[in-house]
Amino acid sequence: MFLTKFEINTARRGARFLLGNPQAMHAAVLSSFPPPPLGQENPRVLWRVDRAEHRVSLYVVSPAEPDMSALNEQAGWATNTWATREYEPLLRRLEEGQLWSFRLHANPTKQSMDPATKGKRFAHVTPKQQMQWLLDRAERRGFHVEMSGDAGPVLEVSSRTKDSFGRRDPNQEGRESAVTLVRVQFDGLLRVTDVGRFRETLVQGVGRGKAYGCGLMTIASADGRPS
Amino acid sequence: MAVLKLRLAGPLQAWGGSSRFVNRHTREEPTKSGVLGLLAAAQGRRRSEPVEDLVGLKFGVRVDQPGRLLRDFQVARSLDGRESMPLSYRYYLSDAVFLAVVEGPDAVIEGLNDSVLDPVYPLYLGRRSCVPAGRISLGVEGVSLDTALRMEPWQAAVWHQKKQAARTVSLEIFRDALEPGEAGETVRDVPLDFSPENRSYTWRTVVRPKPHEVPNPFGKEQSHDPMAELGGS
C-alpha cells in the first residue's frame, strides 16, 4: 500500500475543473495507475482533498505506486509536488490501545424505512446525526472514538458541504444526470481496538461515496491532544 | 497618566472620516473626532464650545469585531411632505465592536469616566441614529495607551468568535503616533471646532502597529499531517 500527497495549484484552470467535479477528479486519480490485468477490476483507490488555509492537497491511498505526472501537468506546480510513501510500516506499527488523531471525509447516509421511498438513500444532515453515524460504525471498523477530554469534545464535524455535479452513467447510455453528495469532515481522536479491522478501515475506507473523495481516513500522532 | 477604556458596540455605527455631498462615508474604525465628540457630549459641552483640551488626549482603537459595511439609500421629505430632501447614500458598520482608549492626565480621565457613566446628552456612535449597545465605559486604569489596547480581553460577541476558524485571532490596532516621526497614515479627523457653522478638522498620524493576538476559545482549525508518521513529505 502507498500513501501519496499531491499539492494542487488552485490557480490553474485544470485544478479548478477537478476541484469542482469529483467525478473528473476520480478519473484523474485513477489515470495515475496502469490499467489492471485483463479480466480484473480496478483495485480500490481512496482519495481525499484536504483544504487548509491557502493549501489544497490531494491524499491518495492505493495498492500500487501512482505516477502523478499527468495530474501534475493538469493541476500541479512547475516542479513535481507529490510525495509517495510506503503505507505498510505504519500499518505494521498499529497496536491495540494506541491513540491517534484522525481525519475522515465521509458521506454519512441512511436507508429510508418509509414505505413510499423504501430503500432510497438519504444523507444525514445534522452534525449530531453525522457523528452518530460514525459512532455506529466505529466498533465494526476496529476503533473507538474518544468522546471527551479536558479541552472539550474531541470529536467534531469540522466541515460540511453539499456538492452537486454532473455524471455520465455508462449504464444509461451515457446520459448526464446530477449527483448530490453530502461530504463531512470528521476530526477527532481514536483508540485502536481491533488491529486487523482497523488496518482494513485505513485501506478500504468508510461509508459510501468512495469514488467521490469520501471514505479515506488518515491518522497522525495524537501528541498535544487530550488523551 | 491614566487611560479610559470604551467599548463601542451597537447594531449600527458610522465614523465619517471624510464625506462629501450626498455620499456619507464611514471609516472602518472609530475616528478621533467621533470619540472625542462622544466624550464632549457626555460632559455636556455644546457644539460651539471649544474642545482643545480633549484634542490633546492620546487616542487608539482596537478592532475586536470588524462588522460589515452597510449602504443605506436614504430618501426623506419635509414634514409637510411637499419638498423632497437631498437623496443620499449613507454607509454604516453593522454589528461591529471596538475597544477605544484615550490617555491623558489622571484627573481629566477620571472626570471623563464619570461623565460617560452619567452623560448629559445622549451618546451615540458616530451618527445620531446609531445607539450604543451595553455599557460604554470599561473603566479607568493607570497604564499606557499601548498596554491598555493589548491588555483588555477580546470584546467580540460569542457568535462572532464561533465564526472564526483560527485558534488565534489578530485584532487590528489603530493609534495616534506616540513619538514624533513615527510612520503612519495621515487622517483628517482631529476636531478644531464642532459648531455647524464653522466645522473644521486638522490632521493626525495614525499608526498601525502589529495586531494584537488573542486566543479564540471556539477556534477549531486543526492541522493534520498524515505524512508525518511516514517520514514526512
Side-chain angles (χ1 to χ4, degrees):
Chain A
M1 297 302 297
F2 295 89
L3 173 69
T4 306
K5 182 187 189 189
F6 179 90
E7 294 287 350
I8 296 178
N9 178 357
T10 51
R12 298 187 64 169
R13 181 187 274 247
R16 294 189 188 187
F17 168 67
L18 293 178
L19 290 173
N21 189 337
Q23 177 103 4
M25 180 68 94
H26 186 63
V29 169
L30 287 192
S31 72
S32 310
F33 300 95
L38 217 65
Q40 279 185 34
E41 295 241 321
N42 265 320
R44 175 52 79 191
V45 172
L46 295 172
W47 59 272
R48 181 178 89 200
V49 175
D50 260 24
R51 289 159 197 266
E53 252 178 42
H54 303 291
R55 291 168 83 96
V56 179
S57 344
L58 169 74
Y59 288 102
V60 179
V61 167
S62 55
E65 189 173 350
D67 169 18
M68 297 220 153
S69 36
L71 186 59
N72 197 54
E73 221 152 84
Q74 191 179 2
W77 302 82
T79 52
N80 291 352
T81 45
W82 79 85
T84 301
R85 298 268 177 272
E86 292 255 8
Y87 215 19
E88 295 295 342
L90 177 66
L91 297 178
R92 274 199 299 272
R93 259 171 53 209
L94 292 175
E95 270 173 45
E96 231 168 82
Q98 278 176 339
L99 196 66
W100 294 96
S101 81
F102 73 93
R103 176 168 289 177
L104 164 69
H105 281 197
N107 169 225
T109 58
K110 58 170 185 283
Q111 269 192 331
S112 168
M113 298 310 259
D114 187 332
T117 55
K118 198 167 169 76
K120 198 168 153 52
R121 289 210 167 256
F122 290 97
H124 283 300
V125 174
T126 68
K128 202 177 162 192
Q129 291 171 333
Q130 291 165 343
M131 276 192 200
Q132 193 55 48
W133 174 90
L134 180 64
L135 297 176
D136 289 345
R137 271 151 193 78
E139 217 53 50
R140 276 180 279 143
R141 301 294 178 168
F143 62 92
H144 174 76
V145 180
E146 300 285 306
M147 274 314 279
S148 64
D150 300 334
V154 176
L155 175 66
E156 65 184 358
V157 173
S158 34
S159 98
R160 303 189 283 155
T161 56
K162 188 169 148 189
D163 276 357
S164 238
F165 48 91
R167 164 185 195 247
R168 282 193 194 284
D169 188 349
N171 299 329
Q172 299 205 354
E173 297 161 359
R175 259 181 300 174
E176 182 137 332
S177 55
V179 180
T180 305
L181 183 83
V182 170
R183 188 184 293 116
V184 174
Q185 177 173 313
F186 292 104
D187 276 296
L189 273 181
L190 61 79
R191 206 174 279 284
V192 182
T193 54
D194 183 326
V195 177
R197 284 185 186 172
F198 188 59
R199 275 192 197 128
E200 215 165 87
T201 304
L202 292 182
V203 170
Q204 299 286 334
V206 185
R208 300 171 64 86
K210 285 174 190 139
Y212 298 134
C214 294
L216 171 55
M217 175 189 269
T218 52
I219 55 176
S221 147
D223 284 353
R225 309 276 309 273
S227 56
Chain B
M1 289 301 213
V3 291
L4 169 62
K5 298 170 291 183
L6 304 167
R7 179 176 174 274
L8 306 175
L12 293 179
Q13 312 190 19
W15 305 100
S18 70
S19 286
R20 289 288 176 269
F21 312 116
V22 297
N23 285 305
R24 314 307 296 175
H25 294 291
T26 174
R27 287 188 69 85
E28 283 178 7
E29 74 285 347
T31 55
K32 191 166 185 175
S33 64
V35 175
L36 293 187
L38 180 142
L39 295 173
Q43 287 181 328
R45 293 192 202 198
R46 307 200 69 83
R47 286 191 186 202
S48 48
E49 286 176 49
V51 286
E52 277 138 27
D53 52 328
L54 293 180
V55 169
L57 299 173
K58 283 178 195 152
F59 173 73
V61 285
R62 191 179 77 192
V63 183
D64 281 26
Q65 183 175 324
R68 275 204 264 178
L69 193 65
L70 182 120
R71 189 182 72 169
D72 176 36
F73 175 58
Q74 179 169 324
V75 294
R77 281 190 168 270
S78 58
L79 202 56
D80 57 10
R82 276 191 209 160
E83 242 177 292
S84 74
M85 297 304 189
L87 307 175
S88 63
Y89 291 101
R90 286 167 195 239
Y91 290 84
Y92 298 87
L93 295 175
S94 62
D95 279 333
V97 180
F98 302 100
L99 171 74
V101 176
V102 285
E103 186 191 319
D106 289 359
V108 176
I109 293 294
E110 282 290 351
L112 285 173
N113 187 33
D114 294 342
S115 310
V116 171
L117 293 175
D118 183 17
V120 177
Y121 294 122
L123 304 181
Y124 49 85
L125 306 173
R127 214 169 267 159
R128 187 78 70 90
S129 56
C130 303
V131 290
R135 60 180 185 154
I136 294 182
S137 170
L138 294 177
V140 174
E141 217 162 339
V143 295
S144 74
L145 180 76
D146 212 51
T147 319
L149 285 170
R150 291 181 191 275
M151 244 175 48
E152 202 56 26
W154 195 17
Q155 300 290 328
V158 170
W159 63 261
H160 177 79
Q161 298 186 359
K162 282 185 179 167
K163 260 172 86 172
Q164 311 307 310
R167 286 187 187 270
T168 52
V169 176
S170 306
L171 309 180
E172 283 248 55
I173 290 178
F174 300 82
R175 61 160 169 78
D176 282 351
L178 298 176
E179 300 132 31
E182 210 173 347
E185 182 196 3
T186 45
V187 178
R188 194 178 194 178
D189 70 345
V190 179
L192 294 174
D193 192 347
F194 273 134
S195 66
E197 303 81 37
N198 190 25
R199 206 174 247 237
S200 53
Y201 300 95
T202 184
W203 300 87
R204 70 175 173 126
T205 306
V206 177
V207 181
R208 295 172 69 165
K210 199 171 151 285
H212 177 54
E213 301 212 324
V214 288
N216 179 11
F218 299 101
K220 48 183 183 237
E221 199 171 81
Q222 287 180 350
S223 61
H224 179 84
D225 185 8
M227 300 299 267
E229 287 302 314
L230 301 165
S233 51

